[in-house]
């Protein structure tokens, strides 16, 4: 499962269209993206909403009928969304309780234009959904990103992975900035929140995704390799996968993603995004692939 709350939906074709017109109001492009994976229980929702649907306080973020709230020890996410095209409901409550907390943050050498912070690199998660009817507990992860420019202006490509070790969490980030310079960062965050750099020189190329041929790679311990266990998302510019790998002396399972912002820039890619990202207007009507033509996106 992944849940992402956006103020300024970075992959929104509607937001990209406004930026091309120099109209920049992130609050006009808010959404909560929910992806639930599992045999017989897969659901995906990402409805974009306007400023009137946004409510934000230090303790709560509400976007439409869904919300995230912090009670001092736990993040409680209440989901009430609908899948695009099918209209199937995605409704439930997810509770995340940090096991490791961190104040680490980095801008990946962008002079502060982008910031990433793994707030809870390891957490205990409980999910209780009515639709689809699933219930489970497990480990999770909570981070935050913000930026003063579009992602595609700062980066050309990146891959990221996160894994839980026996007493810590490891995150790897590697990619190329738009100016052609490369970055490669690995960190290990211990139970007390202390951060240590991780230097892995062994690169492992993973198979291209099946449909859109997205490149995937990662770093592993010397003498070891990594394998894709499951491809969760295979899109023209983004992949999300579960991989089996070996990090800091331990065999682990990791969540992995790769993103091509150069692909995302292409208008034909953005014209496809309306299928998965309908937009609700102030009047309550919605637009999606059926209500937005190619020239409207451009």
């Amino acid at each position: 499962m992944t849940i992402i709350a956006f103020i300024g939906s970075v992959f929104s074709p509607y937001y990209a269209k406004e930026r091309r017109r120099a109209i920049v109001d992130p609050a006009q492009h808010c959404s909560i993206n929910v992806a639930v994976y599992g045999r017989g229980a897969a659901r995906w929702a990402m409805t974009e909403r306007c400023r009137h649907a946004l409510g934000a306080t230090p303790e709560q973020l509400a976007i439409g009928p869904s919300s995230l709230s912090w009670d001092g020890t736990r993040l409680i996410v209440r989901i009430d969304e609908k899948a695009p095209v099918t209209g199937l409901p995605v409704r439930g409550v997810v509770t995340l309780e940090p096991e490791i907390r961190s104040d680490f943050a980095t801008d990946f050498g962008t002079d502060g234009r982008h910031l990433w912070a793994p707030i809870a690199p390891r957490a205990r998660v409980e999910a209780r959904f009515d639709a689809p009817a699933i219930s489970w507990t497990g480990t999770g992860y909570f981070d935050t990103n913000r930026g003063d420019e579009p992602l595609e202006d700062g980066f050309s490509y990146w891959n990221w992975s996160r894994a839980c070790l026996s007493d810590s969490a490891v995150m790897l980030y590697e990619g190329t900035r738009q100016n052609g310079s490369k970055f490669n960062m690995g960190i290990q965050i211990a139970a007390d929140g202390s951060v240590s750099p991780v230097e892995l020189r062994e690169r492992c190329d993973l198979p291209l995704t099946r449909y859109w041929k997205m490149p995937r790679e990662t770093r592993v311990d010397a003498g070891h390799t990594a394998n894709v266990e499951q491809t969760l998302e295979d899109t023209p510019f983004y992949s999300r996968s579960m991989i089996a790998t070996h990090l800091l002396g331990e065999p682990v399972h990791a969540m992995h993603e790769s993103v091509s912002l150069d692909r995302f820039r292409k208008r034909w890619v953005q014209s496809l995004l309306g299928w998965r990202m309908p937009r609700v207007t102030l009047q309550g009507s919605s637009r999606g692939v059926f209500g937005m033509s190619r020239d409207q996106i451009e």
Side-chain angles (χ1 to χ4, degrees), residues 75-258:
L75 181 71
I76 302 170
V77 185
R78 293 178 172 86
I79 301 297
D80 187 359
E81 300 289 332
K82 290 184 178 180
V85 183
T86 66
L88 290 173
V90 186
R91 186 173 56 247
V93 178
V94 177
T95 302
L96 180 145
E97 185 172 0
E99 294 179 334
I100 300 175
R101 298 191 188 189
S102 171
D103 58 5
F104 174 85
T106 180
D107 67 357
F108 301 110
T110 62
D111 295 324
R113 293 188 302 276
H114 299 272
L115 186 73
W116 168 70
I119 297 172
R122 179 169 175 161
R124 189 69 176 168
V125 175
E126 179 180 0
R128 297 289 182 267
F129 273 71
D130 299 323
I134 56 171
S135 178
W136 54 263
T137 58
T139 58
Y141 162 84
F142 178 41
D143 71 357
T144 183
N145 295 270
R146 70 167 177 82
D148 297 324
E149 67 178 2
L151 279 177
E152 63 270 25
D153 287 357
F155 302 97
S156 172
Y157 171 83
W158 79 65
N159 66 78
W160 163 93
S161 64
R162 171 262 181 192
C164 277
L165 274 62
S166 56
D167 58 354
S168 61
V170 172
M171 281 136 285
L172 306 177
Y173 249 116
E174 185 170 4
T176 305
R177 305 178 188 92
Q178 274 297 344
N179 62 11
S181 61
K182 297 183 181 299
F183 63 95
N184 179 11
M185 186 203 74
I187 56 171
Q188 179 182 20
I189 303 182
D192 62 0
S194 59
V195 179
S196 304
V198 172
E199 187 172 352
L200 298 173
R201 299 184 181 276
E202 191 94 356
R203 173 174 165 156
C204 178
D205 289 325
L206 300 168
L208 300 176
T209 60
R210 180 178 180 182
Y211 296 109
W212 292 103
K213 308 303 180 186
M214 272 292 296
R216 295 180 286 190
E217 63 271 347
T218 189
R219 301 275 175 165
V220 297
D221 288 344
H224 292 272
T225 188
N227 300 291
V228 175
E229 293 193 318
Q230 186 178 7
T231 299
L232 302 174
E233 298 287 348
D234 181 358
T235 81
F237 70 96
Y238 177 86
S239 73
R240 180 182 294 150
S241 314
M242 291 295 299
I243 65 173
T245 183
H246 205 281
L247 299 173
L248 303 182
E250 293 187 32
V252 294
H253 298 276
M255 183 72 83
H256 178 279
E257 72 174 15
S258 57

Side-chain angles (χ1 to χ4, degrees), residues 21-40:
R21 296 178 176 178
I23 304 171
V24 182
D25 183 1
Q28 283 291 95
H29 303 276
C30 302
S31 62
I32 292 185
N33 174 216
V34 184
V36 180
Y37 306 103
R39 185 173 299 174

